[in-house]
Structure formats: C-alpha cells, structure tokens
Amino acid sequence: MLMQTVYTKPFDGQRPGTSGLRKKVNVFQQPHYLANFVQAVFDSIGDFHGQTLVVGGDGRFYNREAIQIILKMAAANGFGKVLVGQGGILSTPAASCVIRKHQAYGGLILSASHNPAGPDEDFGIKYNIGNGGPAPEQITEAMYARTLDIDHYKIADCDDVDLDQTGSFVLAGMQVEVIDPVSDYAALMQSLFDFDAISKLLASGFSMKFDAMHAVTGPYATAILEGLLGAPAGTVMNGEPKEDFGGGHPDPNLTYAHELVEIMYGDDAPAFGAASDGDGDRNMILGDHFFVTPSDSLAVLAANATLAPGYAGGIAGVARSMPTSAAADRVAASMGLPCFETPTGWKFFGNLMDAGKVTLCGEESFGTGSNHVREKDGLWAVLFWLNILAVRNEPVADILKKHWQQFGRNYYSRHDYEGVDSVAAEAVLEQVRDQFATLPGTMLAGRRISACDDFSYTDPVDGSVSRNQGVRVLFEDGSRMIFRLSGTGTSGATIRLYLESYEADSSKHGLDAQDALADMIVAASRLSGLIDRTGRDKPTVIT
Ligand code: G16
C-alpha cells in the first residue's frame, strides 16, 4: 500500500470557532482544504501511534467524502484503529459516548450542527479529545497555528471503503470497524433513566412528538423512543436523515422547528414535544401550548435530578454559559451546590466535569447535558424530561409554574441579528464598551446599572484565561443585557443580544417574556446603536 506525502500550501481562515471549523461546502471541497486541516489536527494532538480514532458525522452533504479522506489520512499518520459509524453517521453525543466507552485517543466529528446542509450550505469538522469532549482552546489554537505553516500531509493511496456494512477490515495496515451508531449510546441512556417508568407513561395515553428535523437524531430517536420505550410509530417526525436535512434548518427553536411548534400550539396538542438539531446535541422542550426556555430547562433538571436513577445519588454542581440565565444558579444555591459561569462553548465544561466539580451543564443555545458524555445531548435531555414527567405525573406547564413559585422566574430572551456586516457588528459592541466608564450607577430601563465589562473566564481547574467573551451590562436587581458575536456563523456576523430580568413575585410570572423584557429590549438597542449601525429594525430570530 502506497503512503503518499502530498505537498500543499496553507489556507487562510482555518481557525476553529465556538465549535470547530465551519465553512461553506465549496470551501471544504477545494483540493487539499480538508486534508490540510486534518493534518494540522493530527500534528497538534500528541502521540497517537497505534491508538484508536472515532469518526462520524451528522450525515450532511460531503460527510461521506470527508470520511474517506480522513480514514486514509488516519492510516497514513499511524492510527492503529478507526471506529466509524455505519453510513458515516454518529451524532455528536454518540461520538462522545463511543470515544469514552472504547477509550479512543480522540475523535473527528463532521458537522456544522444546526446550520443548513447541501451543496451550497455548510460543512464542519471538529476534534474531540480522549475524555469525549471538544478540544480545549490551547489545542484548537495549536491546530490553527499549524494550519498557517503546513506544507504537506500524509494520506494512504487506496480505494474508498464501504461505510454501509457493519464489520471490521484492514485499510492500509490500520483496522477499521464500522459500528452501529446507536447501540452504545442507547445502552448508556438505559443506564441513566428509568425506561420501565417511561414506557408505562407512554403506554398510559400520554402523547408526545419528537421532531428529528431530517437530521441525525432520527435513527437514535426511533430506536429509543419507538423501539425500546414502545412509543407509537409516528411519534418521531422527520426521522429519516437527509443530506440536505430536507431543505430545512435543523435548529430546534420556536422559529425553525415550526412544524412541531404548530402541533404543540394546535388543537389536541400532545402533552410533550421535543426537537433536536443537525448533529443531535441540542434540544427544545415543549409542553401543551408551553415553551420551556433552555435556561429554565437546566434549572428544572437540576432541581429534579434525583428523580432519574443515574442521578439519584445527587449532583456535584451545575455549570452554565455566561449568557444563559441565572435560573440554575438559584437552584444550585438552594441545594448548597456550586454553580460555575463559563464562556459560550461546550468545551469549557469539560475540565469542570473531569474534575468532578459539576454533573449538569447547560447553555441558552438549546444545549443541556451531564457528565455521562462530554458534549451536550439532545435526546438525553428529552429522556430526562420524560423520566421526570413519569415520576411527577404533572403537565410540563405545571412543573414550570411550581418551579417559578419556589425559585422566582428569570424572564429571558435572546435576539439574533444574523448575516450582519462584520464591521457594523463590531461597532455595536464597541459603542457599548465606550460607555463602560460612565454607565455604572446610572438608570436604564428603570433599573440601576451596577457594572459593565467584557466577560473574562479563568478556568478553575487549569488556570487558563479566556478574554472578550461578551459585553455585559449588569444591573443591581440581577437583570442583565449582554452583547456577543456568534462564533458559529459562516457568512457575515451574527449579533446575539441576551436579555434577562428576575421576578420573585409569583403574581407576575404569567407574562410573555417579550412583554416582560420590553423596556430592556428598547434600552439595549438605544444603548448600542444597533438599529442605526446594522440597518436592521428587528431580529432575525427571537428565542
Ligand atoms: C455551539 C457550541 C455551543 C454554543 C453554540 C452557539 O453549539 O457547542 O457551546 O452555545 O454553538 O455558539 P455561538 O453563540 O458562538 O454561535 P452547536 O450546537 O452549534 O455545536
């Protein structure tokens, strides 16, 4: 078998963002583009000779081609074995599960998450380390540095492999095992949740819908919900993964998961609805005519964690990303548990989980998870909710209302302005920064500002510092206004405006979040000059 050394030149812009390298498909299709990045990864992760690599993706367009390149490069670079999902499929949480279970050295996950898929849409790749979690910033920065001076990559000269049959074979001296993408993950879920109780709930007439949005969770949800738990056929909607996600935008929020939202807000709505995203790590939870914000979902899971067998012994602590509402902080405080505030990006939770400091983590961006893997996990959150519903036997809305009565309600919303000119987007943040010195002590939206800053995080485990993680305007009553640029977009800039206001009085818990935050929304756009600078008079997406 011939091992080739291919001489190449660096490409600009291969710095991994919030979650790996995401670009348009035609960028990845340029000769050597993917191979350069993969070699830069291999050159930055230490000695993996003879070790195992996990490879899989969300099934989007270019997934199969990318996997063939990666397998040949893994063989030429000295990996001993690759575990690859059948059909090239592995959801992000399942890849994390497989890395951990099989003690792999790491994994390459091919996904651009919820971003649309197809020849004119997005593709992505990220590297996860041996704990199953996204590579930390020191490693992603080393990869980026390597992309800047790369001059060759190694690849085996051999035929493509058949990804569609499970089984083992040898490729250029390296063992390849094509695995069932679902079974390890399903077994892990069975070890965490009371499948008997959930089965009884589903058999009792309790109705639910799960929208896989034609993305990777289809096979997982069908096998677990309809197969193992006995939910009626048709419970899983849009369950067949497609290379273009059926032309949709598999981001489980109120805007993009509209098909499910219409069912959950229609006549005879099911008691429970949920959706997941392109690569299966995000989740949206709905009740009958009721939306659970991701921030509230984390808080409810924390407060009810011991109802699930996998967490019956209690949880060590909770972590949330900075822009996520402080609802979970209130639960943690009442339970006497530590609560950590990290920058946006799941990679920041890994150290906390490895050190045993936290069990549950969550982000406002529809991500929730625990130390069972090192990624956020959409179906895990759905099963956790089903376990809680099976034990409490109350509607989703009642669970939330009781939660707010006990802990108060953190009204919360995120306004996204997508595809904004990058210079204008930076100027919006800069306008707020320019007022840092004068704002504290003044009144805005009827509240007194206590502090303003650029959020900075010092990892309590390894001491690494991450700066400029969002512009914050903090108020004395706990309200917050945060301006941040997304690190996952592929065209222009996306401004995220996060708004939060705390209400202790339960007689005021029945408002719509947009109404409760109306004064904050107006004040934030005036403070930042957002409308003038971007030419946008309303957000692209409100969640
Ligand atoms: C990724 C990250 C998350 C992050 C989200 C949004 O999720 O893993 O930690 O919260 O992007 O990031 P941003 O606000 O920078 O766009 P996913 O599901 O896209 O992998």
Side-chain angles (χ1 to χ4, degrees), residues 18 22 113 282 345-346 363 365 376 484 486-488 496:
T18 307
R22 291 184 190 172
S113 187
R282 298 186 177 201
W346 204 263
E363 294 187 285
S365 55
K376 56 189 184 279
R484 198 184 144 262
S486 160
T488 56
R496 303 208 195 281

Side-chain angles (χ1 to χ4, degrees), residues 17-19 22 92 111-115 126 134 251 277 279 281-282 321 323 343-349 363-367 375-376 414 416 484-489 494 496 498:
T18 307
S19 186
R22 291 184 190 172
T92 292
S111 169
S113 187
H114 53 285
N115 295 11
K126 69 171 177 169
D251 197 357
D277 71 329
D279 62 332
D281 57 3
R282 298 186 177 201
S321 66
T344 294
W346 204 263
K347 59 192 170 200
F348 293 101
F349 295 137
E363 294 187 285
E364 50 66 38
S365 55
F366 294 82
E375 287 281 1
K376 56 189 184 279
R414 184 177 103 184
D416 294 337
R484 198 184 144 262
L485 299 186
S486 160
T488 56
T494 295
R496 303 208 195 281
Y498 310 85

Side-chain angles (χ1 to χ4, degrees), residues 33-55:
Y33 188 91
L34 174 70
N36 271 22
F37 185 75
V38 171
Q39 189 66 53
V41 171
F42 291 165
D43 290 348
S44 312
I45 57 175
D47 181 11
F48 50 76
H49 193 82
Q51 305 268 350
T52 300
L53 181 73
V54 172
V55 180

